[in-house]
Amino acid sequence: MAAATTLPLLHRGIVIDPYQLYEVRVEGADGVVLIAAAFEDEDDRFSDMYATAADLGLDVIVEVADEQQIERALELLDPDSFLIRNRERDDKQADFERTFSLLEEVPAGKAVLSQGGIRTREQAAALEGVGVDAAILGRWIYRQPLTATLDMLRGDMR
């Protein structure tokens, strides 16, 4: 995995056990996403996972979907990065507006990524305009050549 690129690699699978963090690191990942909902009512385990990841040199992005998850993550971990998930785990529809409503709960200086429902240049520009640092896009980006999709999202319509 890591030998194929010099770019930093983010592991996006579900990680709930410390052993998985070691596996992620051995595979060459530079960062990991910890899903706040996976550690609901398990504050000690959430904190331990975050600390273990940091000890292994992994950057950690905490995935959240509501205000309570943001508040809990800030209280327990004070992470540098948040991933706002714009859909519930059991819902196929993304609520693109969720990022805008939750962004105000994230303190200034934290990196914010948005995931779900981002399909147009206007949406990408709106996220950029409010200070979102990055977007995670779905498989839809491969329906046409990747360069064309990225050009469209950047507003570069040659």
Side-chain angles (χ1 to χ4, degrees):
M1 166 163 104
T5 182
T6 58
L7 296 172
L9 297 174
L10 176 66
H11 178 80
R12 281 282 299 135
I14 296 175
V15 179
I16 57 171
D17 186 273
Y19 186 79
Q20 291 174 291
L21 293 171
Y22 288 91
E23 290 178 321
V24 164
R25 193 62 175 137
V26 168
E27 289 174 358
D30 301 291
V32 65
V33 175
L34 294 181
I35 302 169
F39 301 98
E40 195 169 320
D41 299 324
E42 297 185 64
D43 291 353
D44 289 342
R45 199 163 133 237
F46 195 18
S47 296
D48 289 346
M49 288 290 289
Y50 188 85
T52 300
D55 288 346
L56 293 172
L58 291 165
D59 290 322
V60 178
I61 299 172
V62 175
E63 179 183 296
V64 295
D66 61 38
E67 290 179 31
Q68 292 79 18
Q69 290 176 359
I70 294 172
E71 290 171 11
R72 183 169 158 253
L74 288 168
E75 183 179 307
L76 292 173
L77 316 171
D78 193 25
D80 294 328
S81 305
F82 285 91
L83 168 61
I84 297 175
R85 186 177 17 98
N86 292 326
R87 78 175 84 237
E88 293 300 324
R89 289 258 170 233
D90 56 353
D91 190 1
K92 297 286 185 202
Q93 291 295 95
D95 178 10
F96 175 72
E97 298 295 321
R98 182 179 291 187
T99 293
F100 300 105
S101 63
L102 292 180
L103 186 61
E104 59 195 41
E105 303 300 323
V106 177
K110 307 285 185 186
V112 176
L113 296 83
S114 179
Q115 178 183 10
I118 305 152
R119 294 185 179 253
T120 68
R121 168 64 192 147
E122 292 74 23
Q123 291 171 323
L127 290 172
E128 184 178 26
V130 296
V132 172
D133 299 288
I136 295 181
L137 306 172
R139 291 181 181 95
W140 68 269
I141 65 171
Y142 299 112
R143 290 186 187 141
Q144 62 182 355
L146 183 57
T147 54
T149 302
L150 294 176
D151 286 346
M152 179 274 296
L153 289 170
R154 289 184 191 119
D156 185 9
M157 304 302 289
R158 295 174 208 196

